């Protein structure tokens, strides 16, 4: 009986050890499963946050283009140069972040760029510029947008794009000699003037690719709106004089 009792105790002890090993193994498996779930959760949250930020940024960009579309419709609906310039000023300030700027048309001989409207800078300081010099001359002669601070690439999430300008220059401080951006005004494939942005609003510290697209659209729409308004006004004046 003594030997059988000892055997029973030994079997019970071994069974207990096996149970403990099984329990420890199960705990280890559960811990691993828990860690896997946590890792997947973190990845899912990261992806969700990334896509959420990108989605929000895309929505903002679509809203900007939609607002620009509405604004250009208002440009073309205006029947006087003064009305077109008023809409253009509002568009530059509210939608494109410009605080100091001037709108130029080329002189009859094409040698100068003559300001027809300005905001945030003394008109006397920006009244005329040579059509072949500086950033204004480059934009006018090449028909390409000139960014003196460069254009930062958009990243993911794209909302990170609003950082310090790559050139190190503070674009919110107006500079007559070194405009932040110059946009050519095109009509039928010909550049007839430019818009010079000398300084930005405080929240607009950099330019990105989306800005380039917005400026291109503006440059293509503002020129015909101004010319059509001038023609409409001239036609009215001629009719009144008959």
């Amino acid at each position: 009986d003594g030997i059988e009792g000892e055997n029973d105790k030994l079997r019970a002890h071994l069974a207990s050890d096996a149970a403990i090993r099984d329990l420890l193994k199960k705990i280890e498996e559960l811990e691993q499963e828990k860690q896997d779930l946590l890792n997947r959760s973190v990845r899912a949250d990261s992806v969700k946050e990334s896509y959420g930020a990108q989605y929000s940024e895309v929505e903002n960009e679509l809203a900007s283009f939609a607002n620009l579309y509405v604004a250009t419709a208002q440009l073309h609906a205006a029947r006087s140069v003064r009305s077109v310039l008023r809409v253009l000023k509002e568009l530059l300030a509210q939608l494109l972040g410009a605080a100091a700027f001037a709108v130029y048309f080329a002189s009859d001989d094409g040698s100068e760029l003559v300001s027809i409207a300005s905001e945030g800078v003394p008109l006397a300081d920006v009244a005329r510029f040579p059509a072949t010099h500086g950033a204004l001359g480059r934009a006018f002669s090449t028909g390409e947008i000139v960014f003196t601070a460069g254009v930062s690439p958009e990243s993911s999430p794209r909302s990170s794009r609003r950082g310090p300008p790559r050139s190190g220059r503070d674009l919110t401080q107006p500079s007559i000699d070194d405009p932040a951006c110059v946009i050519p005004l095109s009509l039928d494939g010909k550049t007839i003037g430019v818009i010079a942005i000398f300084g930005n609003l405080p929240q607009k510290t950099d330019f990105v690719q989306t800005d380039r697209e917005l400026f291109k659209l503006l440059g293509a729409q503002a020129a015909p709106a101004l010319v059509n308004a001038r023609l409409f006004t001239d036609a009215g004046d001629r009719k009144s004089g008959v």
Side-chain angles (χ1 to χ4, degrees):
D1 289 341
I3 295 175
E4 186 175 348
E6 290 295 331
N7 288 337
D8 288 340
K9 290 181 180 179
L10 181 58
R11 282 195 296 270
H13 182 70
L14 291 173
S16 176
D17 286 345
I20 291 174
R21 285 196 299 272
D22 290 341
L23 181 58
L24 290 173
K25 183 178 180 181
K26 185 64 176 177
I27 291 173
E28 184 178 355
E29 290 173 352
L30 289 173
E31 286 289 345
Q32 184 61 48
E33 184 177 355
K34 175 185 175 182
Q35 190 60 47
D36 291 340
L37 288 172
L38 287 173
N39 290 339
R40 286 199 292 270
S41 176
V42 170
R43 289 196 298 270
D45 288 342
S46 177
V47 171
K48 181 179 179 181
E49 181 181 354
S50 176
Y51 278 108
Q54 291 183 46
Y55 180 80
S56 176
E57 190 66 19
V58 168
E59 277 195 325
N60 291 336
E61 290 173 6
L62 287 174
S64 294
F65 278 108
N67 291 335
L68 184 57
Y69 177 81
V70 172
T72 54
Q74 294 174 337
L75 282 176
H76 291 289
R79 288 294 178 264
S80 70
V81 173
R82 178 176 297 179
S83 297
V84 172
L85 290 173
R86 183 180 65 251
V87 175
L88 185 57
K89 285 183 177 182
E90 293 174 355
L91 191 158
L92 285 166
Q94 298 175 12
L95 184 56
L96 302 177
F101 54 86
V103 182
Y104 294 87
F105 266 11
S107 60
D108 291 339
D109 61 4
S111 63
E112 288 186 313
L113 294 169
V114 182
S115 175
I116 60 173
S118 64
E119 188 76 25
V121 286
L123 179 58
D125 293 345
V126 298
R128 291 176 178 269
F129 277 97
T132 56
H133 294 86
L136 277 74
R138 290 200 305 275
F140 180 71
S141 61
T142 65
E144 299 290 336
I145 300 172
V146 173
F147 292 95
T148 60
V151 180
S152 298
E154 291 167 324
S155 57
S156 178
R158 293 202 299 260
S159 57
S160 64
R161 69 192 194 177
R162 292 289 179 253
R166 293 189 306 168
S167 68
R169 176 190 159 192
D170 184 357
L171 299 183
T172 64
Q173 296 299 315
S175 173
I176 304 301
D177 298 324
D178 188 24
C181 175
V182 185
I183 308 157
L185 297 175
S186 302
L187 181 65
D188 295 333
K190 181 181 178 180
T191 303
I192 63 173
V194 299
I195 298 173
I197 298 177
F198 299 107
N200 293 341
L201 295 171
Q203 64 269 26
K204 185 73 171 180
T205 60
D206 202 2
F207 292 118
V208 294
Q209 290 298 332
T210 302
D211 295 320
R212 180 183 291 275
E213 298 305 317
L214 288 169
F215 289 147
K216 283 173 61 177
L217 183 56
L218 173 63
Q221 297 297 321
L226 285 165
V227 170
N228 289 339
R230 178 62 182 272
L231 292 174
F232 186 85
T233 300
D234 289 347
D237 290 343
R238 287 195 299 272
K239 185 175 180 181
S240 299
V242 174

